[in-house]
């Protein structure tokens, strides 16, 4: 999807943009019932992008009713899978046709480089809708191994009304990971994007309608977590709640799901992923590049960020030197410049949060090896240097907590068992990586790492074909692959007496 556009081109396009700013309910853009709005500011340069509808429980009520009506009418839920497939593939094609516009919205709204919005977020979003469309008329039901006088059918049915609450770090892609399987399986959905990045979700709603999704099947409610997210999570007519975001909010929402109507609840949450480098890594330069991009990519605002580097004592100094050099090559630039590989932190609050962690690292005795400061101050946005701490001990705050910014904590080890114990010493279990040429060591480590994704000799690999999600407090349930379809469906056993 690479476009050979110049910085001037993107700047000119940015001036022309008129983002959708109203909620999308029952196939129409509408103001919030309260008529309130919130400011949507760009972290790129502080400009105001829009004043967005600030939805609350009243809008939730309207959206749930619309979603329920659409579901009960069967206009989507009872459509043959092959017909739903056509709509989802048309939507994928439409997203691809509007990729530049959506990528620009994403970059302006949350600060990531336009290069990444286009080539990663948009490309993967297109693939996600297409993949889920393609799979849905190939997903067979089962027949139980019964005796000759009865027939046991094991079928899957959509949950009904699904609420999807998503974060700001990959706004469109995280929405796609929920929407595509939820829609493919016939549900009606209410999407609540993050208040920090609502714009692409609002535009997507209209593209979905144009692609043939019936009115009411997809509703988008922008707004704050407590005001719009919580009433959705608590609603008695919502059958499923799927969430991507922080572990703290995920735990809170599981409680609400449980005490309201026991809606099916699946949480994809935070991480503090270990990246383990042995001296026999196939190529130390490649490993160092990956260690840097693993934590600095997307300004470090990635759930799988390789934020804990566990490096063997014998190569520590040489390896760190390479990581620091690779980090320097990723200095933040103007996100609209196609050459930029690191952009702006999403907003002032997140910038201050990450800066406080850097300060905490210093106070607790970690040595700042590079970075640690604000840069591009004149831009009006929020930019942080790629930051590397060495001499980190496992108990330090920067080794334990998810920072969600461009901050690397380096911890050294000597023995394999020690590396494993350090890697698993975390409440999180989202991802982990091992770099070694020893196949036995690689397999043993991979087997014992308590993480939902393990990479050997690379970082952040994966596509739609494999499930993605976490062990421990990184969440339950999985996004992507056929496994994701399961959480949007109830399983039903139907018994037929063949000898009545
Ligand atoms: P967050 O938990 O603050 O917010 C996520 C969403 O929940 C937002 O839409 C927010 O408005 C909403 N929300 C907040 N409080 C709520 C409440 N009380 N009730 C209902 N909704 C509420 O997370 P964030 O800062 O947007 O995103 C960063 C987090 O997301 C990180 O922890 C990151 O690791 C995680 N993440 C996980 C994955 C994954 O697949 N596991 C992917 C991306 C991001």
């Amino acid at each position: 999807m690479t476009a050979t556009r110049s910085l001037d081109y993107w700047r000119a396009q940015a001036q022309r943009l008129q983002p959708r700013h109203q909620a999308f309910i029952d196939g129409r853009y509408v103001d919030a019932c309260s008529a309130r709005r919130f400011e949507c500011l760009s972290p790129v340069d502080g400009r105001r992008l829009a004043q967005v509808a600030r939805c609350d429980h009243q809008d939730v009520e309207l959206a749930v009713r619309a979603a329920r009506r659409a579901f009960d009418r069967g206009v989507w839920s009872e459509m043959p899978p092959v017909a739903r497939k056509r709509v989802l593939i048309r939507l994928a094609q439409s997203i691809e046709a509007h990729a530049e516009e959506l990528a620009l919205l994403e970059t302006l709204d949350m600060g990531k480089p336009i290069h990444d919005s286009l080539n990663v977020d948009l490309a993967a979003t297109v693939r996600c809708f297409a993949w889920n469309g393609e799979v849905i008329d190939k997903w067979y039901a089962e027949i139980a191994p019964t005796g000759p006088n009865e027939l046991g059918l094991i079928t899957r049915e959509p949950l009904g009304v699904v609420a999807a609450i998503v974060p700001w770090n990959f706004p469109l892609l995280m929405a796609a990971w929920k929407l595509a399987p939820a829609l493919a399986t016939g549900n009606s959905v209410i999407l609540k994007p993050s208040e920090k990045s609502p714009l692409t979700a609002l535009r997507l709603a209209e593209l979905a309608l144009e692609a043939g999704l019936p009115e009411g099947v997809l509703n988008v409610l922008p707004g704050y977590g407590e005001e719009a997210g919580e009433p959705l999570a608590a609603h008695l007519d919502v059958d499923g709640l799927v969430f991507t975001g922080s572990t703290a909010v995920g735990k809170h929402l599981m409680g609400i799901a449980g005490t309201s109507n026991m809606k099916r609840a699946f949480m994809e949450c935070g991480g503090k992923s270990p990246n383990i480098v042995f001296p026999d890594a196939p190529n130390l330069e490649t490993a160092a590049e990956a260690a840097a991009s693993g934590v600095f990519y997307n300004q470090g605002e990635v759930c799988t960020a390789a934020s804990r580097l566990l490096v063997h004592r014998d190569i520590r100094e040489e390896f760190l030197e390479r990581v620091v050099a690779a980090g320097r090559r990723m200095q933040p630039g103007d996100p609209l410049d196609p050459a930029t590989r690191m952009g702006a932190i999403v907003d002032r609050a997140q910038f201050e949060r990450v800066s406080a962690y850097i300060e905490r690292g210093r106070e607790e005795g970690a040595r700042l090896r590079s970075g640690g400061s604000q840069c591009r101050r004149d831009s009006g946005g929020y930019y942080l240097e790629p930051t590397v701490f060495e001499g980190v001990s496992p108990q330090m705050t920067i080794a334990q907590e998810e920072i969600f910014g461009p901050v690397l904590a380096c911890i050294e080890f000597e023995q394999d068992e020690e590396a494993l114990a350090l890697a698993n010493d975390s409440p999180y279990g989202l991802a982990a990586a091992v770099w070694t040429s020893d196949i036995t060591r690689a397999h043993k480590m991979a087997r014992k790492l308590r993480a939902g994704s393990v990479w050997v000799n690379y970082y952040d690999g994966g596509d739609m074909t494999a499930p993605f999600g976490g062990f421990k407090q990184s969440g339950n349930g999985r996004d992507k692959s056929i496994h994701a379809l399961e959480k949007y469906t109830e399983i039903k056993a139907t018994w037929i007496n063949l000898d009545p």
Side-chain angles (χ1 to χ4, degrees):
M1 212 173 261
T2 313
T4 47
R5 305 293 196 184
S6 65
L7 173 58
D8 286 345
Y9 170 84
W10 290 113
R11 282 187 176 152
Q13 293 302 108
Q15 293 305 328
R16 279 187 215 118
L17 266 187
Q18 292 193 321
R20 289 287 188 185
H21 57 85
Q22 292 172 294
F24 191 83
I25 300 175
D26 211 6
R28 275 172 295 281
Y29 285 105
V30 290
D31 289 328
C33 294
S34 67
R36 290 201 299 170
R37 295 181 179 196
F38 63 93
E39 293 273 14
C40 181
L41 304 175
S42 175
V44 171
D45 53 11
R47 85 178 74 168
R48 182 205 275 174
L49 296 169
Q51 288 185 300
V52 177
R54 183 167 167 175
C55 294
D56 63 17
H57 63 97
Q58 305 171 77
D59 310 287
V60 165
E61 201 49 54
L62 294 181
V64 172
R65 273 193 226 147
R68 175 60 64 194
R69 269 197 311 274
F71 186 80
D72 288 349
R73 281 206 316 271
V75 283
W76 180 252
S77 53
E78 292 171 19
M79 196 185 256
V82 68
R84 289 204 296 266
K85 159 180 151 172
R86 280 189 215 112
V87 174
L88 289 176
I89 288 179
R90 261 203 309 273
L91 176 56
Q93 290 164 344
S94 171
I95 295 169
E96 190 163 25
H98 293 86
E100 283 198 357
E101 177 199 342
L102 290 162
L104 186 56
L105 278 175
E106 207 78 306
T107 287
L108 293 172
D109 208 2
M110 66 69 67
K112 69 174 68 195
I114 190 74
H115 171 274
D116 296 347
S117 295
L118 203 52
N119 295 300
V120 180
D121 298 56
L122 263 297
T125 299
V126 169
R127 179 88 187 107
C128 179
F129 279 105
W131 195 91
N132 279 281
E134 285 157 7
V135 83
I136 202 59
D137 65 346
K138 299 163 191 75
W139 198 37
Y140 286 84
E142 299 164 53
I143 294 181
T146 56
N149 295 332
E150 56 195 353
L151 180 62
L153 303 177
I154 304 168
T155 51
R156 294 236 168 223
E157 295 180 5
L159 292 180
V161 174
V162 171
I165 301 180
V166 296
W168 48 262
N169 61 333
F170 292 85
L172 190 60
L173 185 58
M174 293 303 100
W177 283 7
K178 310 294 188 204
L179 292 181
L183 293 173
T185 44
N187 295 281
S188 292
V189 186
I190 300 148
L191 171 66
K192 197 209 80 66
S194 169
E195 60 278 15
K196 299 183 194 229
S197 60
L199 300 183
T200 44
L202 291 173
R203 179 74 171 109
L204 178 71
E206 145 179 70
L207 297 182
L209 191 73
E210 287 165 12
L213 201 68
E215 290 170 2
V217 175
L218 171 61
N219 307 274
V220 182
L221 299 183
Y224 291 93
E226 294 78 5
E227 293 175 3
E230 215 153 309
L232 265 178
H235 204 289
L236 296 178
D237 205 23
V238 169
D239 306 292
L241 173 65
V242 289
F243 168 82
T244 301
S246 62
T247 293
V249 174
K251 285 176 169 179
H252 178 61
L253 293 184
M254 282 188 93
I256 295 177
T259 50
S260 54
N261 60 344
M262 209 191 258
K263 54 178 68 65
R264 306 297 176 253
F266 297 100
M267 309 289 135
E268 311 295 335
C269 300
K272 188 75 187 174
S273 300
N275 183 23
I276 309 169
V277 185
F278 287 95
D280 66 350
N283 182 323
L284 282 183
E285 183 54 28
T286 308
E289 293 270 351
S293 63
V295 67
F296 300 139
Y297 171 71
N298 210 44
Q299 306 71 244
E301 298 161 338
V302 182
C303 53
T304 53
S307 52
R308 288 189 294 151
L309 173 62
L310 308 186
V311 59
H312 194 278
R313 182 164 298 168
D314 290 353
I315 53 164
R316 190 204 63 196
E317 189 45 42
E318 176 201 350
F319 193 73
L320 268 188
E321 200 47 52
R322 290 178 192 260
V323 173
V324 167
R328 282 207 190 95
R329 293 193 288 276
M330 289 185 76
Q331 287 301 323
D334 185 339
L336 291 180
D337 184 338
T340 294
R341 292 296 175 270
M342 206 172 136
I345 303 291
V346 70
D347 65 1
R348 175 183 286 280
Q350 185 65 10
F351 173 83
E352 286 174 355
R353 195 181 122 93
V354 178
S355 302
Y357 273 114
I358 294 174
E359 201 41 49
R360 190 83 183 265
R362 282 200 183 102
E363 284 166 12
E364 291 184 4
R367 289 189 302 281
L368 186 64
R369 175 84 178 232
S370 69
S373 302
Q374 185 177 5
C375 52
R376 306 195 80 244
R377 283 171 187 271
D378 296 341
S379 63
Y382 308 103
Y383 297 83
L384 263 175
E385 292 173 336
T387 299
V388 178
F389 276 106
E390 62 179 328
V392 177
S393 59
Q395 311 75 27
M396 287 181 186
T397 309
I398 58 168
Q400 285 292 331
E401 295 185 13
E402 184 182 43
I403 297 175
F404 224 53
V407 182
L408 179 62
C410 302
I411 303 170
E412 65 176 47
F413 70 89
E414 263 188 291
Q415 306 296 331
D416 290 30
E417 286 304 316
E418 184 190 359
L420 201 56
L422 285 168
N424 286 336
D425 175 22
S426 170
Y428 298 109
L430 192 56
V434 187
W435 297 78
T436 178
S437 298
D438 179 338
I439 191 165
T440 306
R441 169 186 274 159
H443 274 293
K444 280 191 168 168
M445 296 292 290
R447 191 171 282 185
K448 290 187 176 170
L449 281 164
R450 304 275 301 147
S453 295
V454 177
W455 297 293
V456 177
N457 295 331
Y458 72 153
Y459 204 87
D460 251 342
D463 61 17
M464 282 304 300
T465 58
F468 178 84
F471 282 26
K472 300 194 268 183
Q473 293 184 40
S474 287
N476 60 350
R478 293 293 182 270
D479 284 326
K480 305 205 288 183
S481 84
I482 284 184
H483 294 283
L485 300 174
E486 290 160 8
K487 69 185 183 187
Y488 295 97
T489 54
E490 292 285 11
I491 196 161
K492 180 181 277 180
T494 305
W495 289 93
I496 297 169
N497 183 358
L498 298 181
D499 188 21

